[in-house]
Amino acid sequence: MQQYVLIIENGEGNLELIAKLVRRAGLTPVGATSLTEGKARFSQNMPETFLCAIVAYSLPDAPKGESIDFTVESFIPTIATTESLDSAIRDKVLERDVVDYIPKENSQNYDYLNRLISRLEKNKSTGVVVVSTNRVLRSKTVSLLQRHNFIAFECLTATDAMQCLSEYKNVRLVITDNTLPDMTGTHFVASLRKAFSKEQLAIMGVAGGKGMLMSAHFIKSGANDFLRVPYCHEEFLCRVMQNVEYIESVEEIRRVANTDYLTGLPNRRHFFYMVTVQHQNLSEDHALALIDLDFFKSINDTHGHDAGDIVLKAMAALIEFYFPDEIISRFGGEEFCIYMPSTPLKEACERLDDFRKVVEAEIIQLPKSDIKVTCSIGVSGAHTQRVDKLLSLADKQLYAAKNSGRNQVKCEPPDVPQQEQASLL
């Protein structure tokens, strides 16, 4: 569904500036310079197509925030803007159920607005757990999170929160106070840190103003951040956004480090990590395959390296589609690897030969022509606990497939000599 952003701004200059930020976020601006025009533009589209609204507090036909009231009452997440940082106007804006308040006084505020727009879409799939027995605090916190499109989970106890974290893998932040029925907040944070590192899960402690050292207790117990209540609306949301973005940044760094830049498949290093971590004891009914595209150099020489990249991407897509539950990787160049941890050798070879036929029949569209490719596959099902041994045996079979005319599957028998097994285990 198309994602629009309704912009109601006082002047064409402000409207165009914010529209550029919206386009940069990959969204479509729907602009107006008055409340009347904004209502008309809004009525021309389905309400569900609007991600949010960015609305000026003062407009020629709405001088006291009436435009904000309109978008809030239309159930559009609303970001309010003002010409300057005025405390009286700020208080009037924050009395309303707005997402945030942006004074247009410097370029950094516009940068923050750009981040905020992007976050409203990301937050739809981001979970935050709020743990507190204080109903007022819990309700206020959840309400603010929901304005930002977060998926908010309410928990009364540390045990409930741990259960929630085990069920929902999209949680990036836990917000907890210190007075929980089953343990203190600091003990809860310490127990969370045994299961989740600071790079996996952000934790924010909250507490009243009586305990001046509570912030230090939370941080020393493993919290990423601390906020004293009653808290400021804007500070709370800034801290939430900062903590969630930190977790996402670490995830992105890991993703880039573990992913082949061209095909999007896991890279060689991540392949070894996944095999050794997920399968510390390798099954006897397993198989490892090396797949190599035939005559790939001639594709590059004839059609160019861009065409070669298209072929590699197509091959990666086929591997992902036909082996969704296996550990796959691009090993480098035109070589790919598949580890099947619970597949007997005979079954693996049959599946791989079916895949070879699929590759042979596939038509790959290039900018100037269509081509077909073939692949050679070497497979090993040796009874060994060493992945490098499986790779070595599969590589020998791949070499045999190449020497036997290509476009075929060669399989290594599962049994290896007893003295070799003893040296490998």
Side-chain angles (χ1 to χ4, degrees), residues 170-234:
N170 62 339
V171 175
R172 297 291 177 267
L173 173 65
V174 172
I175 301 172
T176 179
D177 72 15
N178 195 47
T179 53
L180 304 178
D182 46 349
M183 65 178 74
T184 65
T186 51
H187 278 94
F188 172 47
V189 171
S191 66
L192 280 178
R193 280 292 167 248
K194 293 178 181 179
F196 304 95
S197 71
K198 285 190 174 182
E199 290 73 33
Q200 293 174 306
L201 179 71
I203 305 173
M204 182 188 299
V206 294
K210 292 183 179 179
M212 296 303 293
L213 294 178
M214 189 55 66
S215 60
H217 289 322
F218 265 109
I219 299 297
K220 289 178 180 179
S221 297
N224 299 68
D225 205 350
F226 177 84
L227 193 61
R228 198 170 302 282
V229 293
Y231 51 71
C232 166
H233 171 139
E234 294 164 285

Side-chain angles (χ1 to χ4, degrees), residues 234-247:
E234 294 164 285
E235 182 184 7
F236 170 77
L237 292 172
C238 284
R239 286 176 180 267
V240 166
M241 191 159 76
Q242 184 172 320
N243 279 285
V244 170
E245 286 180 342
Y246 171 72
I247 299 297

Side-chain angles (χ1 to χ4, degrees), residues 303 306-308 310 364-370:
H303 301 279
D306 288 344
I310 293 172
I364 300 174
Q365 295 180 343
L366 301 180
K368 295 182 179 180
S369 62
D370 295 342

Side-chain angles (χ1 to χ4, degrees), residues 99-210:
V99 169
D100 214 335
Y101 158 72
I102 311 289
K104 297 175 289 188
E105 59 179 0
N106 59 54
S107 60
Q108 287 304 309
N109 284 341
Y110 283 106
D111 179 64
Y112 176 79
L113 175 59
N114 188 50
R115 287 168 55 209
L116 184 56
I117 297 167
S118 299
R119 278 244 59 92
L120 287 174
E121 182 62 27
K122 291 180 182 178
N123 292 348
K124 292 179 179 180
S125 58
T126 304
V128 179
V129 173
V130 180
V131 196
S132 177
T133 54
N134 185 324
R135 183 181 59 82
V136 175
L137 173 63
R138 195 174 67 249
S139 298
K140 178 186 176 183
T141 303
V142 167
S143 175
L144 288 174
L145 291 169
Q146 289 174 340
R147 288 188 209 174
H148 269 239
N149 288 343
F150 284 107
I151 304 169
F153 302 97
E154 295 186 59
C155 297
L156 299 178
T157 67
T159 304
D160 291 341
M162 291 295 286
Q163 180 63 31
C164 186
L165 284 165
S166 68
E167 291 180 14
Y168 300 99
K169 304 305 180 184
N170 62 339
V171 175
R172 297 291 177 267
L173 173 65
V174 172
I175 301 172
T176 179
D177 72 15
N178 195 47
T179 53
L180 304 178
D182 46 349
M183 65 178 74
T184 65
T186 51
H187 278 94
F188 172 47
V189 171
S191 66
L192 280 178
R193 280 292 167 248
K194 293 178 181 179
F196 304 95
S197 71
K198 285 190 174 182
E199 290 73 33
Q200 293 174 306
L201 179 71
I203 305 173
M204 182 188 299
V206 294
K210 292 183 179 179

